[in-house]
Amino acid sequence: VKRAVALWLAIFFVWTAQVWAMPAIMKTAELQPGMQGTAYTVVDASQQIKTFAVRITGVLDQGKGSSPMIMAEVSGPVVDAAGGIVSGMSGSPVYVQGKLIGAVSRTFKEMDPHTCFITPIEGMLDVWDLPDSKNKTHVQPVDIRKAATERDKARTELEKKKAALEQREAELYQQLKHATVAADKAQTKSAFFVTGFHSSGLSFLQKQLEPFGILAKDMSSVGGNGSGQVVYGAKLSPGSAMGVSVVCGDFSMAATGTATAVDGNRILAFGHSFLHRGNVNYFLTDASVLGTAHGPVNGIKIASSGNIIGRVNQDREMAVSGLLGVFPEVVPIHVTVHDQDMGRSETYNSLIAYDEDFLPNLSASLTYASMDRLMDRLSGSTAKVHFVIRTNAAEGGKIERDNMYYNAADVGQIAVNELGQAMNIICGNTERESNIFDIKVEVTVSGNRRTASLVSAVPDKTKVKPGETVQLKTTIKPYRHSKEVLTIPYTVPRGQRVGPMRLDIRGGGLIPVAQLLLAQQAAAGIDITAEDDKTVSTTAKLKEYLSSDRNNEIIVTASAMPVILSEAEQKAAVRQAVKASSEMAKEPAIHGDKKKTPAQTKYSTDYIIDNVIHAALQVVKK
């Protein structure tokens, strides 16, 4: 199975829905001002396709490298009730003399909302011919009987959902006014309309999307989540409401619009781009319309994305295109959050459409959003995080990692960083596209501060030989609790030179002394930037990442701090260093690194260790 489940459908899809064929078209060059036409769209909870009148006013030539746009005026009860053309009508097909001329695509806040632009159909049709290199999955067979049962169940659930939405419609219209203002502010950028996110989770998501120039706008108050339920044999008619989604399930990230044309199982929609990302691998969904609302500037059609009915494969300037009954590769993510203070737990399940650019940010965002959704606070808390990523990029087929975090402000934001780092390594594979089968995250959050400071580390003997083990009687002081004593073994490297030896005993989350010295050199203007080793494989990077120190570990290692020696001791140290270098070359590298590192001991605790102390040994001859 390639990457993740892939919904297991494409090969055995059975087409049972009404099949639409591409209608006759009229090219832009044939249009004349004053021509009358008809547009089709859904505007209310009846989900019925309704019409409004269109009058062509002219064609705007946008210059070299751009496609012309058809300018038109609209009229009729449908648009009058909506307050004109509103966001969400994008893609509404427009016919003149019974021929398809294009899709309603946009209006601007400076314009009369009864004036709009239409994207010409000939430009949209070109999208169907663009290369599609995504979603090349070999999927497992699907049980047709099971598929039929699930289809019927999905339809029943959809009907219940529709009835509930209609019942809420009157109450929601007051909230739609606020959504209209938010949508108008978002119109200059690509935008997701998201559901399932609480306020802090939404803010975190917005920060994660900033590098992509994408906004996230909350629609939780007026729409349900994209269900993540697959509907077999679904149909989509020109003028129907539809959605393009990147995340489905307990959290949803999508945009809704209107289908323009359907040819067999191929669809064209929107009349403009979704995120303007070219060849893509996103969810094609059906959508339920609640109604329209008009604010002080522009209106909006309120619709929620629903069941997965296919795959969006092109996201271009002129249109988005998709395939009904062909389903995208996905990465399921399951996040279980335990709130120890309140004694409650919840698991949040979502599907992320496979997109290597988005996956690291979205996996971290959904984990944080899950914490924010269950917890009533994340400040002054301790979080234990355990995650497993099943992927062919790692030895043994999975990455498993756990760590502890404490933060007085917001522990969630730091607790999700390592998951994002791991996903970045996987998605940055320069050798091939990695398969990611699923992500499972378990987070336990407590209001107790689980930090501790190192007080002392006393060796059971001060004179040791290379290769010998010393026991360090280590005292720690947990925050507002009594001291505890731990016994930590440390083995002196076989190649350690004779003479004084200084040990660093530190928390795993602290910067090692050697790195601190390099940082000081950098601050002094010394260039210490190392060139990224392009020869290191993704598997090796993941192995090194997994062996990195944890915040709840006590790390014991030879200090990089210089020891003041006499002239005679310095000469002896040089001789010993020459001898030690040949002996250390025989030792295996720590963590599989190419560079040799001092031997170290890692000792796990149930606290986040927040400081560093030192101990001294005298290394004597064997």
Side-chain angles (χ1 to χ4, degrees):
V1 182
K2 174 112 168 142
R3 266 193 292 278
V5 184
L7 302 180
W8 300 344
L9 306 169
I11 292 176
F12 291 87
F13 176 78
V14 178
W15 185 259
T16 59
Q18 179 181 359
V19 177
W20 289 83
M22 186 65 201
I25 69 169
M26 178 181 291
K27 293 185 177 182
T28 306
E30 302 174 57
L31 293 173
Q32 297 294 328
M35 280 186 167
Q36 302 291 325
T38 305
Y40 298 79
T41 196
V42 176
V43 292
D44 56 37
S46 71
Q47 311 306 323
Q48 293 179 356
I49 298 174
K50 298 182 179 181
T51 64
F52 56 91
V54 176
R55 186 179 73 85
I56 306 302
T57 58
V59 176
L60 177 64
D61 185 353
Q62 302 187 88
K64 293 181 179 179
S66 300
S67 299
M69 296 295 289
I70 305 165
M71 192 171 180
E73 294 178 350
V74 299
S75 61
V78 170
V79 287
D80 289 343
I85 294 296
V86 298
S87 176
M89 286 184 180
S90 296
S92 299
V94 180
Y95 287 78
V96 171
Q97 297 177 4
K99 296 181 179 181
L100 180 61
I101 68 166
V104 172
S105 58
R106 66 202 58 161
T107 186
F108 298 103
K109 62 182 180 180
E110 295 84 4
M111 296 170 51
D112 180 338
H114 286 74
T115 300
C116 69
F117 286 101
I118 299 169
T119 301
I121 188 60
E122 60 264 36
M124 297 177 67
L125 288 172
D126 291 340
V127 176
W128 272 340
D129 298 325
L130 294 172
D132 182 6
S133 61
K134 306 284 186 180
N135 208 62
K136 303 303 181 183
T137 303
H138 298 290
V139 296
Q140 291 184 353
V142 66
D143 186 328
I144 297 299
R145 290 185 178 179
K146 181 180 178 182
T149 302
E150 292 178 350
R151 177 194 60 203
D152 293 340
K153 180 181 178 182
R155 287 175 177 170
T156 301
E157 292 298 320
L158 183 61
E159 290 174 359
K160 291 180 180 179
K161 177 181 176 183
K162 179 179 175 181
L165 289 174
E166 290 174 350
Q167 186 176 357
R168 294 175 56 205
E169 185 174 4
E171 176 186 342
L172 293 175
Y173 266 118
Q174 294 301 316
Q175 301 172 16
L176 300 187
K177 296 178 181 179
H178 300 289
T180 303
V181 176
D184 179 63
K185 292 179 180 178
Q187 68 180 351
T188 58
K189 286 188 176 183
S190 298
F192 287 119
F193 290 99
V194 304
T195 59
F197 293 80
H198 288 185
S199 59
S200 295
L202 179 61
S203 297
F204 185 84
L205 174 65
Q206 288 173 329
K207 291 178 182 178
Q208 296 295 307
L209 294 176
E210 280 178 2
F212 303 99
I214 298 171
L215 298 174
K217 294 298 178 182
D218 184 28
M219 295 291 283
S220 297
S221 62
V222 294
N225 292 350
S227 68
Q229 175 68 51
V230 179
V231 172
Y232 302 83
K235 66 179 181 178
L236 200 61
S237 306
S240 295
M242 50 151 289
V244 181
S245 181
V246 175
V247 175
C248 293
D250 288 328
F251 298 94
S252 173
M253 299 174 60
T256 56
T258 306
T260 305
V262 182
D263 185 23
N265 74 325
R266 300 189 302 172
I267 68 103
L268 281 174
F270 282 26
H272 56 69
S273 65
F274 168 44
L275 300 176
H276 205 240
R277 295 182 60 81
N279 185 200
V280 294
N281 179 69
Y282 299 150
F283 300 106
L284 172 61
T285 74
D286 56 22
S288 296
V289 176
L290 289 174
T292 59
H294 202 273
V297 182
N298 284 101
I300 186 171
K301 181 195 292 186
I302 303 302
S304 60
S305 61
N307 302 294
I308 300 168
I309 60 175
R311 170 185 167 235
V312 170
N313 64 340
Q314 299 291 347
D315 177 15
R316 305 288 180 167
E317 180 67 25
M318 300 291 284
V320 300
S321 70
L323 300 167
L324 290 163
V326 177
F327 297 88
E329 295 167 348
V330 301
V331 179
I333 180 169
H334 314 280
V335 182
T336 301
V337 183
H338 304 286
D339 182 348
Q340 286 191 326
D341 296 345
M342 301 296 290
R344 58 189 180 187
S345 299
E346 190 63 74
T347 298
Y348 300 95
N349 303 299
S350 300
L351 298 175
I352 307 174
Y354 190 99
D355 184 316
E356 289 182 309
D357 293 332
F358 288 148
L359 271 170
N361 303 65
L362 293 185
S363 56
S365 296
L366 294 179
T367 300
Y368 179 85
S370 298
M371 298 171 66
D372 182 49
R373 191 157 152 182
L374 181 71
M375 309 290 296
D376 61 357
R377 81 279 172 267
L378 288 172
S379 61
S381 300
T382 301
K384 294 181 180 180
V385 180
H386 176 84
F387 65 81
V388 179
I389 305 170
R390 293 198 302 141
T391 172
N392 68 338
E395 289 183 352
K398 70 176 182 180
I399 299 168
E400 189 165 6
R401 174 79 172 174
D402 61 81
N403 211 335
M404 287 180 65
Y405 307 88
Y406 171 79
N407 190 266
D410 187 342
V411 71
Q413 295 199 30
I414 63 172
V416 301
N417 281 345
E418 287 200 10
L419 175 61
Q421 291 170 10
M423 292 297 292
N424 265 315
I425 295 173
I426 297 169
C427 294
N429 191 339
T430 58
E431 300 165 2
R432 64 182 185 278
E433 196 174 61
S434 300
N435 292 351
I436 304 172
F437 301 105
D438 59 18
I439 304 168
K440 292 184 179 179
V441 187
E442 186 168 12
V443 185
T444 302
V445 184
S446 168
N448 297 325
R449 177 173 172 173
R450 299 288 298 179
T451 64
S453 301
L454 294 159
V455 177
S456 63
V458 181
D460 62 346
K461 49 190 172 185
T462 57
K463 293 184 178 181
V464 293
K465 299 175 182 179
E468 192 173 356
T469 299
V470 61
Q471 302 294 328
L472 296 170
K473 184 179 179 181
T474 306
T475 302
I476 64 173
K477 174 64 172 69
Y479 180 75
R480 293 184 178 176
H481 285 81
S482 302
K483 294 179 180 179
E484 298 180 16
V485 178
L486 311 170
T487 300
I488 303 176
Y490 175 76
T491 301
V492 178
R494 294 197 305 271
Q496 181 65 37
R497 66 173 178 78
V498 172
M501 181 182 186
R502 180 186 173 102
L503 296 179
D504 288 338
I505 301 98
R506 61 175 175 84
L510 301 176
I511 300 175
V513 175
Q515 293 182 20
L516 185 60
L517 290 174
L518 290 175
Q520 291 171 345
Q521 288 178 319
I526 302 173
D527 185 10
I528 59 169
T529 304
E531 185 178 352
D532 185 25
D533 190 347
K534 303 298 184 182
T535 65
V536 179
S537 68
T538 298
T539 301
K541 289 179 182 178
L542 288 171
K543 187 175 181 180
E544 181 178 359
Y545 160 77
L546 290 173
S547 64
S548 60
D549 302 335
R550 293 169 170 80
N551 299 327
N552 61 312
E553 291 177 327
I554 296 175
I555 311 297
V556 183
T557 188
S559 176
M561 294 293 289
V563 179
I564 299 175
L565 304 174
S566 66
E567 184 177 350
E569 288 174 327
Q570 290 179 31
K571 291 181 180 179
V574 171
R575 291 193 297 270
Q576 180 65 23
V578 173
K579 180 181 178 181
S581 63
S582 61
E583 293 184 14
M584 291 184 71
K586 302 174 184 178
E587 295 188 53
I590 303 297
H591 306 330
D593 264 338
K594 294 179 179 179
K595 300 177 181 178
K596 303 298 175 183
T597 59
Q600 65 177 17
T601 291
K602 294 186 177 184
Y603 188 93
S604 293
T605 74
D606 198 31
Y607 302 98
I608 299 161
I609 307 300
D610 60 11
N611 69 325
V612 57
I613 60 174
H614 307 283
L617 299 174
Q618 184 69 29
V619 180
V620 299
K621 292 182 180 180
K622 293 183 180 180

